[in-house]
Amino acid sequence: MIQPDASIVILTGAGMSAESGVPTFRGVDGLWEGHRIEDVASPGGFARDPDLVHRFYNLRRAALNHVEPNAGHLALARLESEWRGRFLLVTQNVDDLHERAGSEKLIHMHGELRKARCEGCGAVMSWTQDLASGTRCRACGEIGGMRPHIVWFGEFPFEMDVILAALKRADLFLCIGTSGVVYPAAGFAQIAAERPNCHLIEMNLESTAISRQFHEHIVGPAAIELPKLVERLLAKR
Ligand code: OAD
């Protein structure tokens, strides 16, 4: 049974934003919008062809102007504001739909499309325009060091210490819309499961690489199923 002051950790993946119109990653062709993942999402790919990588993320950043949070994002923001216990929302998504829905206790472990970083001075800044090889850093004024504030393959996700500490004290771990193939996020269920009596729920359209680790499976679209689950959790107050 989940107590009304339980500590909740939630992990979201691309399926969370699917009904808002943001495409998921792993299509049947193994390509990411026509590109090999290593070409557009690795430090090596960026070094080989920075203009291709900038174009790729510029398109994705611009597409955020045409999407809105769905009922699932809104339900998670409501859960955060009304829940008595500890709460942490961790997303692998680089869109900003959780914060637009009102979520605040939120970690973007794979970075954010609407931020840019200077590899010269290290400054991280909000960024809604296009980036290019010739973009000047707003902090140090140098040209040539700007990149998307995105975690690429081979790089460390952000705020792992905070995430691991929260997982180790979680009473409920809820995993929504992720295929469970990209680590370290794919290992979070196993960490949460080490805590006695932590309840693990997976919400997805289908079974995944990590489904067997969960106690409860909710099969269906997040925008439909999450409002119902949040209602059920808040009814315990
Ligand atoms: P994937 O595209 O691998 O998986 C999306 C998951 O969402 C699949 O399991 C779908 O079945 C499920 N799904 C789709 N629509 C859904 C819906 N409406 N409701 C619920 N579930 C739905 O995306 P991720 O697992 O998020 O990393 O991918 C993880 C990481 O791989 C990404 O963060 C990205 C990528 O490479 C980086 O960019 C570093």
Side-chain angles (χ1 to χ4, degrees), residues 40-222:
V40 291
S42 74
F46 186 54
R48 274 193 302 280
D49 193 346
D51 293 328
L52 169 75
V53 175
H54 281 312
R55 274 201 308 278
F56 180 78
Y57 289 100
N58 287 345
L59 282 173
R60 293 169 55 75
R61 191 179 304 104
L64 293 186
N65 295 328
H66 308 289
V67 296
E68 296 289 339
N70 63 51
H73 295 102
L74 295 168
L76 290 184
R78 175 179 172 218
L79 181 62
E80 175 185 332
S81 73
E82 297 185 25
W83 191 251
R84 282 216 325 255
R86 293 173 109 150
F87 181 97
L88 180 65
L89 174 56
V90 181
T91 187
Q92 299 168 89
N93 298 342
V94 295
D95 64 54
D96 59 350
L97 295 178
H98 281 306
E99 48 270 57
R100 279 201 252 159
S103 290
E104 291 178 358
K105 294 175 190 158
L106 169 67
I107 292 178
H108 276 280
M109 65 176 290
H110 288 167
E112 295 170 67
L113 270 174
R114 282 185 160 165
K115 286 190 178 165
R117 182 164 87 237
C118 175
E119 290 193 310
C121 72
V124 176
M125 51 211 100
S126 68
W127 205 275
T128 53
Q129 305 302 311
D130 285 354
L131 277 171
S133 303
T135 301
R136 188 180 292 279
C137 172
R138 288 205 295 254
C140 70
E142 291 298 315
I143 286 175
M146 295 300 289
R147 59 165 278 181
H149 188 51
I150 300 283
V151 176
W152 287 326
F153 286 94
E155 298 182 324
F156 287 109
F158 297 127
E159 298 196 59
M160 282 302 296
D161 50 343
V162 179
I163 298 169
L164 292 178
L167 286 169
K168 286 180 180 163
R169 59 166 186 261
D171 302 305
L172 170 64
F173 176 64
L174 171 60
C175 184
I176 305 160
T178 180
S179 53
V181 296
V182 175
Y183 283 81
F188 289 176
Q190 201 170 348
I191 296 168
E194 282 167 18
R195 179 168 153 90
N197 302 324
C198 178
H199 187 62
L200 282 80
I201 306 178
E202 181 180 60
M203 183 179 291
N204 203 302
L205 297 180
E206 57 192 26
S207 63
T208 69
I210 51 173
S211 286
R212 271 180 304 173
Q213 298 174 20
F214 291 83
H215 305 118
E216 185 179 338
H217 299 93
I218 299 176
V219 180

Side-chain angles (χ1 to χ4, degrees), residues 22-25 27 29-36 40 56 59-60:
V22 182
T24 57
F25 294 96
D29 53 6
L31 297 177
W32 187 358
E33 296 185 11
H35 298 281
R36 294 188 316 155
V40 291
F56 180 78
L59 282 173
R60 293 169 55 75

Side-chain angles (χ1 to χ4, degrees), residues 2-8 82-86 233 236-237:
I2 298 151
Q3 300 302 317
D5 59 351
S7 179
I8 300 181
E82 297 185 25
W83 191 251
R84 282 216 325 255
R86 293 173 109 150
L233 292 170
K236 293 180 181 299
R237 288 170 301 170

